[in-house]
Structure formats: C-alpha cells, structure tokens
Amino acid sequence: MQINYWMPTKILMDRQVVLKNKDEFAKYGMRALIVTGKNSAKVTGALGDVESVLKEKGMGCEIFDQIEQNPCIETIEKAGIIGRKMKADFVIGIGGGSPLDAAKAIGVMIKHEELTAKTLFTDKKLQSIPILAVPTTAGTGSETTPYSILTDHEAKTKRNLGQTVFCSAAFLDAAYTEFMPMDVTVHTALDTMTHLVESYLNTNSTTFSDLLVKEGLALWGECLQQLLSGSYTYAMREKLLLSSSIAGMAIAQTGTSLPHGMGYPLTYYKNVPHGLANAVLFKAYLRRFKDKKRIEEIFSLLGFDGQRAFEEMLSKLVSLSISATKGELEVWSQEMCSNTAKLKNHPEPITYKGILEIYMKSLI
Ligand code: NAP
Ligand code: ZN
C-alpha cells in the first residue's frame, strides 16, 4: 500500500472565529491584500470582521473587491499588480470558491513578479505568498484544497492553475453562510456532495481520503431533509460548512473526475453554476459505474436505501433548463477526451461514446 497524505492548512471553526483568532492574522506579516467578490464579503460581515482585526493589530491592507464568479486570469493579473505595488506579505480571500481560488492565484502572481496573465499557466513549479481563507459559501472546500480553478477565455474553458497552493489557515464561521439564498445554498451543497462521491469513486482514493468521504457524506446526509424543505437552521449551515471542508480535504488527495471535467463547458458556455453543472450529470454518471458495491456504500452513507431514492433526491434538488444541441455535446465530449488529468482519476474505462451518452442522457 502506498499513501502520501499532506494537508498543511490550519482549520479553525467557531462562531465569530475571525474575531476570536486575531493573533493568527498577525503571523504572516504586516500588509494584507484582501480579495473578495462584489457584495457577499460585505453583507455577511466577514470583511468587516477581518478589517477590524487587521486594524486592531496595526496592520495595513488594501481591498480588491472585483472577483467575478469563475474568475478569469485577466482579473487575477489586475489584483496581482495591486498586491505587488503594495508589497503584500499575504493574501486574505473572503467569499465563495471564486474569491478563494483567485486569492491563491494572486498569491502566486505576487510571489513571482515576472508572471502575467498569459504566462500564469506553466509547467514550472511556482510558490505563493501565504493565503488565508474565510469561506462564505459551503460547497467548494477551496479553503482545504491546493487547487485554483480559473477561466481562460483564450482556451474557452476553466482550468486548474496547476500549482499546489494550500491556504495557511482557514476560518470557518457558519454565520457567514446564513446569508446565502436558497439557490446558492443548494448548488454549493451539491458541489460538496459531488466532491465526496468523485473522491470515493477515484483511481487515487486511499484509506485516508475514504475516511474523510465517509464522514463528509454522513454529515451531508444529515442536512438533506432541510435542504429539500428549504427551512435552514444554523446547525445545518454548520454541518454543510464542515462537510464542504472535509470534502475539500478528500479531493486534495484524489482530485475530482468525470462530472467536474464535463461540467466546465456547462459553466463556460451556458453559465450554469458550478455545483449544479456537476450534479446535473450525476444520475447518468453513476448509472454507468460498474463497481456497484462502492456506489451502494455511498447511498447507504447518505441514508438512502438504494439508487432510486438517491435519484429522487437529485430530481428534487437539481433543476436546470438549458438548450444544448447534439453538436455542442459532441464538441464537449471531444474536449473531455483530451482532459487526461480528469480522465485518469476515473477508475473505469470510458470512451468518447460513453461521455457523449452521459451528456445526452443528462441534457437532451
Ligand atoms: P462563487 O462563484 O464564489 O459565488 C457565487 C455567488 O454567491 C456570488 O454571486 C457570490 O457573491 C455569492 N455569495 C457568496 N457567498 C455568499 C453569501 N454568504 N451570501 C450570499 N451570497 C453569497 O460560488 P462557489 O460555488 O462558492 O464557487 C464556485 C467557484 O469555485 C468556481 O469557479 C469553481 O470552479 C471553484 N471551485 C474550486 C474548487 C477548489 O478546489 N479550489 C472546488 C470546487 C469549485 P459575491 O460575488 O458578491 O461574492
Ligand atoms: Zn466542485
């Protein structure tokens, strides 16, 4: 057996976790670049909490609040230039997966002054200045993964930066996620579920990643009734946030696989939110899977007595009406066939025809 487990992120979870851990922010230098989306960091109070901590500690900061959903490399470059000018010692990402992923890539840009948007994707091994993460969604687990998923308009897709950038610390406070509207809550929760399942049905799964998946699925399953009814409690928010970070730890070891690779064109071309894009493919993806024992284990961990009950849950949570032509699905299937990084994580043989079939059954 070969295992190589590494997860260097310090995870702090509590009510008011930012305000209760002021010293943690002072460990990484005196100047922080804060990276957020346009609104949620402000309305959740997360940005205000971080600013007050930095002020109390006599630290300087600048705020870049222009991170869009599925951030593109041009935005990363803009923020990187600001971070270099202010000589940022570290970056604080506040928000959903988009600002957190952006923070990691911006950290790399600041560390390597020669990099531009055009040269950001490279085979060279690059480092980042320290990154702190304050998630306000419960779904991507970006705070515990080394990945940074960016939109590359030239390649017309989303791509992983390809560097290993773990956050130095993650500050989990479910209160920040209470502001999420119902659709964002459901889509991000679905993202977590897909991370857990894709990690379990993965070429790279190990005893450690499986342990994480099992706990993550059990927690996620405990939230299901509330996710379905739409009446959310703080306790549910906390479980979803924890499940999301645990799922991040699992995919940090294994990577994601087919649904994530196949979901990227849905997001890029049809503007489908990330979690929904993966989940809409899930019924057809799981039906193709031959290792039924592993799949049954997943259903049971989630509290279902079989595939039919799981699919009924998906039908209730996943609602998508987009128009995609067979021609588009053929092009996306070709693209998926050349995505060797994701394909190698899928533990069973799959052909172009199989991929096209998943798209067809899910979308047409
Ligand atoms: P997101 O793109 O970060 O945010 C989606 C929307 O939700 C934005 O409008 C955002 O507003 C809003 N929002 C965020 N927190 C909120 C809150 N507490 N209350 C109300 N609204 C809130 O969504 P996400 O699903 O968390 O992240 C998706 C991105 O993460 C994708 O780019 C995906 O590829 C990436 N991802 C990364 C990993 C990884 O391992 N690194 C894993 C999975 C997915 P603002 O714009 O105002 O902030
Ligand atoms: Zn995801």
Side-chain angles (χ1 to χ4, degrees), residues 13 15 138 173-180 182 185 219 222-242:
M13 182 171 196
R15 280 181 193 263
D173 186 343
Y176 299 144
T177 69
E178 283 190 300
F179 294 80
M180 275 193 288
M182 202 180 279
T185 302
L219 279 167
E222 286 171 26
C223 301
L224 242 181
Q225 285 317 317
Q226 289 188 17
L227 276 174
L228 288 165
S229 70
S231 63
Y232 308 144
T233 59
Y234 183 85
M236 179 205 80
R237 297 282 190 192
E238 213 168 35
K239 281 182 191 170
L240 283 179
L241 186 57
L242 189 55

Side-chain angles (χ1 to χ4, degrees), residues 166-204:
F166 277 107
C167 297
S168 299
F171 299 81
L172 311 184
D173 186 343
Y176 299 144
T177 69
E178 283 190 300
F179 294 80
M180 275 193 288
M182 202 180 279
D183 59 342
V184 181
T185 302
V186 169
H187 297 159
T188 50
L190 286 168
D191 193 21
T192 291
M193 186 274 292
T194 62
H195 291 168
L196 292 163
V197 173
E198 287 175 49
S199 176
Y200 203 62
L201 306 178
N202 199 299
T203 317
N204 308 314

Side-chain angles (χ1 to χ4, degrees), residues 8-12 21-32 53-54 57 59 89-92 129-132 168-171:
T9 305
K10 179 169 188 171
I11 301 172
L12 296 158
N21 290 279
K22 296 181 181 127
D23 290 345
E24 199 59 43
F25 288 83
K27 280 185 184 169
Y28 301 96
M30 289 307 286
R31 286 176 305 276
V53 167
L54 299 185
K57 291 281 171 189
M59 296 160 69
D89 298 313
F90 64 107
V91 181
I92 307 174
I129 62 172
I131 311 295
L132 304 185
S168 299
F171 299 81

Side-chain angles (χ1 to χ4, degrees), residues 5-12 97 100-101 104 131-135 139-148 164-172 192 195 212 241-254:
Y5 182 88
W6 188 49
M7 216 304 285
T9 305
K10 179 169 188 171
I11 301 172
L12 296 158
L100 300 195
D101 280 10
K104 298 178 200 174
I131 311 295
L132 304 185
V134 184
T140 71
S142 175
E143 66 278 7
T144 53
T145 77
Y147 312 124
S148 167
T164 303
V165 186
F166 277 107
C167 297
S168 299
F171 299 81
L172 311 184
T192 291
H195 291 168
L212 292 163
L241 186 57
L242 189 55
S243 178
S244 166
S245 286
I246 289 173
M249 291 168 72
I251 58 168
Q253 308 306 316
T254 59

Side-chain angles (χ1 to χ4, degrees), residues 319-337:
S319 152
L320 177 66
S321 59
I322 55 157
S323 61
T325 63
K326 184 161 183 253
E328 284 175 307
L329 303 187
E330 285 168 351
V331 173
W332 301 349
S333 301
Q334 285 294 358
E335 281 169 12
M336 186 63 217
C337 283

